[in-house]
Every structure is written in structure tokens, then in C-alpha cells.
Amino acid sequence: MAQALTKPSQLLYAPAEAAKVLSLGRSTIYNLMAAGALAYVKHGRLRRIRWTELERYASSLEAPTD
């Protein structure tokens, strides 16, 4: 069962910040964004990921079955 993320301190996260929240690499976040697996919003040249999208992605991950 996926563990819920803690309450957000902000609503929008830069890819590097999202990587820290999800314990993933920054390049992995960019790959997920490019593949459409992690939705983002654009403001000018900046890409930001909503907290709700981080929660959705984290809860979509399956627990390993050994």
C-alpha cells in the first residue's frame, strides 16, 4: 500500500523540488513529464508540478511483490 505524502508546504514544485519530494532523480522527473506520466503546468519558460499531481503519481505506484 502506498504511503501518503506529508502535507505540502507549497502548491507548486520545480522539477528538482519534486524529485526530492518523491525521492527520485531530477532527470527521472523530466522523463516522466515528457512521457506524460507526471502532469505539469507552464508559466512562461518555467515548468511546475502541482502537489496534487505528486500525490496522484505516488499513489499510482505499485508496491513490490516478492
Side-chain angles (χ1 to χ4, degrees), residues 2-23:
Q3 182 179 357
L5 299 175
T6 59
K7 186 177 179 183
S9 58
Q10 58 197 53
L11 296 176
L12 296 174
Y13 290 81
E17 295 169 325
K20 287 182 182 179
V21 169
L22 294 175
S23 299

Side-chain angles (χ1 to χ4, degrees), residues 23 29 38 47 50 53 60 66:
S23 299
I29 295 296
L38 193 59
R47 288 181 266 182
R50 290 184 176 102
E53 180 61 15
S60 74
D66 293 332

